[in-house]
Amino acid sequence: MRTRLLDARLEFRTREALRALERTYGEIDDSDGLIGDVANGLAEATRRARLTARPDPVETAGWFLSHLLDDANDATDLFDYR
């Protein structure tokens, strides 16, 4: 139960970090790809935390859909998200 709670917190925090990064991604010179690597690491951490935390599937689908349709989603490649 404790692990599930910690993963729920981690999932929330990584999702918030992704949002913050994506809001500024267009203003950052990422010619070396470092920021994109960080964003993809955050997406992977979010995915792994979700496997344990098991957040509400409807809320998760809503977030996922809004993320994919948002103009700011260039920071990550969530089409590879499993």
Side-chain angles (χ1 to χ4, degrees), residues 1-73:
M1 180 64 131
R2 181 174 164 82
T3 301
R4 198 174 207 174
L5 179 60
L6 291 174
D7 283 339
R9 289 179 182 167
L10 176 63
E11 188 269 339
F12 176 78
R13 296 290 184 210
T14 55
R15 190 173 9 156
E16 290 299 308
L18 275 172
R19 282 186 184 133
L21 181 61
E22 289 168 348
R23 282 192 303 268
T24 60
Y25 188 72
E27 301 170 22
I28 299 171
D29 174 14
D30 191 28
S31 55
D32 62 358
L34 180 62
I35 304 301
D37 290 345
V38 169
N40 285 318
L42 283 170
E44 177 61 17
T46 302
R47 185 190 71 80
R48 287 178 182 224
R50 279 195 181 121
L51 291 174
T52 304
R54 298 177 145 348
D56 175 52
V58 173
E59 187 275 332
T60 299
W63 175 83
F64 199 51
L65 183 61
S66 68
H67 177 80
L68 289 174
L69 296 176
D70 190 350
D71 290 338
N73 74 349

